[in-house]
Amino acid sequence: MPRIALIPGDGVGPEIMEAVIPVLETLADKHSMALETRLYDAGDETKERRGTALPRETFEGVRKADATLMVAVGETAKEVILPLRQKLDLYVNLRPAKAYPVPNAVKGFDVTIIRENTEGLYVKAGWSSRDVAVDLRIITRGGSERICRYGYKYARENGKRNVYVIHKANVLLGCKLFRDVCSSLAEEEGFSYRDMYVDAAAMRLAMDRPFDLIITPNMFGDILADLAAAYIGGLGMYPSGNIGDERAIFEPVHGTAPDIAGKGIANPMATLLSAAMMFKWLNYREAANDLEEAVWRACELGYTTPDVGGNMRTWEVCSSIRELLMS
Ligand code: IPM
Ligand code: MN
């Protein structure tokens, strides 16, 4: 019986989570999964109320759960998601940017970004004075090796053939190590080694996309992912997984969207697709495919929120997806 920790967070987080939970229940019933879900606090509002953005029981809840589904945390994101990624050693950030049939997506766009998730500029080591600020960018052989192996393995298992390692090894020492490690592993992993500098890759992502899977250090992955979102209808359609050897947290790539919070129009699809990734990771493949297909169908039928051309509200999208699951 999978135990799932749920973190609604801030902004549009709670309204999306509230609408998504019944979809998870319908899916669980249909596929005889005895889900045990539990809600946990985290984020800005939690910090105001309790003095910490990541209370101990939330951390422990995530640590003990089989998987976690989180929506979004506001200004305190670096006090919540970064420690979770680092302390639980969730070294993979898996971001499949695949176009669903919504009017503002580029048909056929399908690029998976595999982002190193615990090192690089995100180690939060550095110092600053009034006039100088230094951020250390730490890249290790071990860290590069495990993300690279994960990337090639994922490519093999998911039929991705054009794997590129994206870096800036002409300038940065860390990237040189990252590149050297990846290039020495490629052949053994069954791929011919291909790479590109990150600046060129940004242009090629927008132009002709020679890659279907990208393996890249932490911050390049963060930036390229938001660029990729522009081709699938925006962040409201983009799911992700923070994955380690034993634990994982799934979350939409979008943030708390304060401009639309409370209006009931936030797009729940990125969270639903993150849930599908979670079920796949938990090995409930049929349920995962079923949920993805229902989201696809809802897009085709125009059962969508305004950001992707529809006029439905968050809960209406979720109840139509429940109906599609039950039909
Ligand atoms: C993301 C976000 C986070 C990141 C922030 C909120 C710390 O932008 O998951 O892409 O930079 O990793
Ligand atoms: Mn980001």
Side-chain angles (χ1 to χ4, degrees), residues 213-224:
L213 188 142
I214 283 171
I215 304 171
T216 192
N218 206 338
M219 185 168 263
F220 294 160
D222 181 39
I223 297 167
L224 290 175

Side-chain angles (χ1 to χ4, degrees), residues 73-74 77-78 81-82 85 93 95 115 117 122 218-219 221-223 225-226 240 242 251-254:
V73 164
K78 69 173 187 305
I81 190 65
L82 297 188
R85 286 172 183 167
N93 198 319
R95 299 189 157 187
R115 159 185 177 191
N117 211 26
Y122 281 75
N218 206 338
M219 185 168 263
D222 181 39
I223 297 167
D226 275 38
S240 80
N242 302 273
E251 52 167 353
V253 177
H254 67 70

Side-chain angles (χ1 to χ4, degrees), residues 40-310:
Y40 290 96
D41 274 352
D44 300 355
E45 200 255 327
T46 304
K47 186 167 180 175
E48 245 167 63
R49 216 162 13 90
R50 307 182 48 181
T52 168
L54 181 61
R56 181 153 200 93
E57 87 262 7
T58 301
F59 180 80
E60 285 303 314
V62 171
R63 196 174 64 80
K64 291 190 185 134
D66 293 303
T68 297
L69 182 66
M70 164 165 157
V71 188
V73 164
E75 285 306 310
T76 53
K78 69 173 187 305
E79 297 160 48
V80 177
I81 190 65
L82 297 188
L84 285 169
R85 286 172 183 167
Q86 267 149 18
K87 287 191 188 149
L88 299 175
D89 208 20
L90 309 177
Y91 59 93
V92 178
N93 198 319
L94 175 60
R95 299 189 157 187
K98 176 176 161 182
Y100 274 63
V102 290
N104 51 348
V106 171
K107 203 164 174 257
F109 188 99
D110 190 358
V111 176
T112 297
I113 297 175
I114 293 189
R115 159 185 177 191
E116 200 292 321
N117 211 26
T118 50
E119 307 193 323
L121 276 167
Y122 281 75
V123 293
K124 285 203 288 173
W127 59 90
S128 64
S129 66
R130 195 179 72 100
D131 298 321
V132 184
V134 178
D135 290 292
L136 285 182
R137 181 172 188 259
I138 297 178
I139 289 189
T140 66
R141 176 172 293 279
S144 305
E145 179 165 342
R146 63 185 184 170
I147 191 67
C148 178
R149 286 207 190 274
Y150 182 94
Y152 285 123
K153 178 161 179 272
Y154 184 91
R156 277 197 308 277
E157 289 172 355
N158 293 275
K160 307 280 178 195
R161 304 183 54 193
N162 301 312
V163 179
Y164 276 68
V165 175
I166 305 298
H167 56 71
K168 188 77 183 175
N170 52 343
V171 179
L172 300 170
L173 291 172
C175 279
K176 200 163 164 301
L177 177 58
F178 193 83
R179 177 193 66 188
D180 292 348
V181 169
C182 294
S183 68
S184 72
L185 292 176
E187 201 175 316
E188 176 189 329
E189 294 287 336
F191 288 83
S192 48
Y193 179 71
R194 298 205 189 102
D195 65 357
M196 206 181 277
Y197 294 134
V198 64
D199 46 353
M203 184 191 68
R204 300 289 295 273
L205 187 69
M207 279 184 85
D208 58 339
R209 293 180 278 283
F211 23 71
D212 53 21
L213 188 142
I214 283 171
I215 304 171
T216 192
N218 206 338
M219 185 168 263
F220 294 160
D222 181 39
I223 297 167
L224 290 175
D226 275 38
L227 176 56
Y231 297 91
I232 60 168
L235 289 166
M237 297 302 298
Y238 201 174
S240 80
N242 302 273
I243 300 171
D245 289 331
E246 275 145 40
R247 274 176 277 271
I249 300 174
F250 297 83
E251 52 167 353
V253 177
H254 67 70
T256 55
D259 52 325
I260 56 161
K263 295 191 175 152
I265 54 163
N267 190 344
M269 287 180 170
T271 303
L272 291 168
L273 294 172
S274 301
M277 288 176 69
M278 174 175 79
F279 291 124
K280 208 170 283 178
W281 184 77
L282 288 166
N283 243 326
Y284 289 97
R285 285 176 180 269
E286 252 176 57
N289 292 338
D290 198 12
L291 181 53
E292 280 176 0
E293 273 161 30
V295 171
W296 186 277
R297 244 350 247 132
C299 291
E300 275 177 341
L301 294 164
Y303 298 165
T304 52
T305 45
D307 57 308
V308 284

